[in-house]
Amino acid sequence: TEIYTLSLHDALPIYYLRMLRAVRFASVLDFRLDPATAEAIREQARRIRKIAHERVRDELLRILTGSPKAGAGILLLRDTGLLAEILPEVAAMEGVAQPPEFHPEGDVLAHTVGMLDLMREPPVELALAVLLHDAGKPATARVGPAAGGGGMRIRFDGHDAAGAAIAERALRRLKLPVRVIEHVTACVAGHMRFMNVPAMRPATLRRMMAAPTFATELELHRLDCLSSGRTPVALEVVAKAREAWEHEKSLPRAMIRGGDVLAMGVPSGPGVGRWVRAAFDRQLETPGITRAKLLRWVAGKIKAEG
């Protein structure tokens, strides 16, 4: 492993970008920072705030997508004091304990670093989703009852939704394209759904798999499990579902629309959408069903509900 050095003495503000570049070179090329250089960066880390967010973003993305072990790059950012300056949302993960029965690898940052190190030439969306998927845990951490009444444990209820909001703010600050922000936040918001995949209704799973973010979500789930020593059982379920539906490249057009539901006497409002979704689920789960039969099924359900 070679040593990378740089000088920050008497630097103009634009040269403070060299601090991030030093970390990027060390991460991507597997160099070690010269101890004096690392110390100089620590002393000047706060000055990275003088650099435009776009420049910071570009260096960060190169670390995440071009490093043989991106997690090591994040740790080097932490050790030089830069992580807290450019991504306080990630720095906050350190020291946030997790239940050891689910996360023997350690705190939230250790788990995230482990996932990052497992990536191989990831697309930007996946790298950012991995980095921020648990960003909501520091804010939601509490001790509460374990499932099934098995005593108390550390919980992070709602961390997926909280994390999506935190990720969106962080990515907007870094000036990521809107399409990337939307993709990443959808993955963060939905990453806990995979624990329900084995028991998921076929229609629900099929809609989930039809989402444009699904490939990223599935790989995020795989890395999430592997980093914690768990088996990603959802992968097998998804593979079987794909095999069963391989002849159908996309979801069919919904047979029942809002106007049909309104015509059955349901008043305008959220109830209309609920019945449209229920009808579509029934359509997906009943191959060969006709529109006439589906209309009768919906009418019967509405009547039964009173």
Side-chain angles (χ1 to χ4, degrees):
T1 303
E2 302 195 31
I3 298 176
Y4 180 85
T5 64
L6 71 91
S7 173
L8 288 171
H9 295 295
D10 303 317
L12 294 172
I14 189 63
Y15 292 149
Y16 290 120
L17 185 61
R18 291 179 179 178
M19 296 188 291
L20 266 181
R21 286 180 174 166
V23 173
R24 191 244 297 178
F25 291 153
S27 181
V28 171
L29 302 175
D30 194 24
F31 285 6
R32 286 186 298 111
L33 284 181
D34 176 78
T37 294
E39 181 58 30
I41 295 174
R42 278 191 289 272
E43 291 176 357
Q44 302 291 335
R46 69 188 184 282
R47 297 183 184 271
I48 199 64
R49 301 175 189 178
K50 296 177 178 290
I51 302 301
H53 292 301
E54 293 87 345
R55 289 176 175 265
V56 171
R57 172 202 64 204
D58 292 346
E59 295 300 324
L60 176 64
L61 294 183
R62 290 184 180 114
I63 291 170
L64 290 173
T65 62
S67 301
K69 288 191 174 182
I74 293 300
L75 290 180
L76 188 52
L77 286 173
R78 177 202 64 183
D79 293 343
T80 54
L82 291 170
L83 186 63
E85 301 295 338
I86 65 173
L87 274 176
E89 300 86 355
V90 177
M93 297 176 189
E94 187 167 22
V96 179
Q98 304 188 98
E101 63 269 31
F102 299 116
H103 289 284
E105 70 278 11
D107 67 18
V108 179
L109 183 62
H111 168 63
T112 300
V113 164
M115 289 177 65
L116 292 168
D117 280 346
L118 290 170
M119 298 188 308
R120 295 295 178 265
E121 299 182 355
V124 166
E125 293 85 357
L126 174 63
L128 291 171
V130 170
L131 181 67
L132 296 166
H133 80 288
D134 276 346
K137 282 188 171 180
T140 59
R142 69 180 183 90
V143 175
M152 305 291 282
R153 72 166 179 86
I154 301 169
R155 303 187 62 89
F156 304 100
D157 299 329
H159 80 272
D160 41 4
I166 291 169
E168 181 177 5
R169 290 195 297 270
L171 298 180
R172 287 190 183 280
R173 185 179 70 243
L174 291 171
K175 310 295 185 183
L176 269 296
V178 172
R179 61 171 183 79
V180 173
I181 295 174
E182 291 177 347
H183 191 111
V184 173
T185 54
C187 292
V188 174
H191 79 275
M192 294 299 292
R193 295 183 298 167
F194 281 84
M195 64 187 296
N196 300 319
V197 161
M200 199 172 278
R201 292 173 59 189
T204 304
L205 178 58
R206 194 170 179 193
R207 280 204 310 275
M208 181 176 170
M209 291 172 61
T213 57
F214 185 72
T216 306
E217 293 183 75
L218 189 62
E219 179 62 6
L220 174 63
H221 169 69
R222 187 183 76 86
L223 296 172
D224 199 356
C225 291
L226 293 180
S227 177
S228 304
R230 293 175 284 127
T231 301
V233 294
L235 268 65
E236 183 178 353
V237 177
V238 168
K240 289 181 178 179
R242 277 181 172 155
E243 184 178 354
W245 299 329
E246 63 181 352
H247 63 288
E248 299 181 34
K249 300 302 181 184
S250 60
L251 292 178
R253 183 182 179 86
M255 294 179 181
I256 304 299
R257 300 288 188 172
D260 299 312
V261 176
L262 289 169
M264 296 176 190
V266 176
S268 180
V272 173
R274 180 168 69 88
W275 284 114
V276 169
R277 289 190 295 273
F280 193 44
D281 285 350
R282 178 72 173 180
Q283 178 183 336
L284 293 177
E285 293 172 355
T286 315
I289 193 170
T290 65
R291 172 174 158 80
K293 288 182 179 179
L294 190 57
L295 283 169
R296 287 197 295 272
W297 179 86
V298 175
K301 288 290 183 180
I302 292 173
K303 183 178 180 180
E305 201 170 274

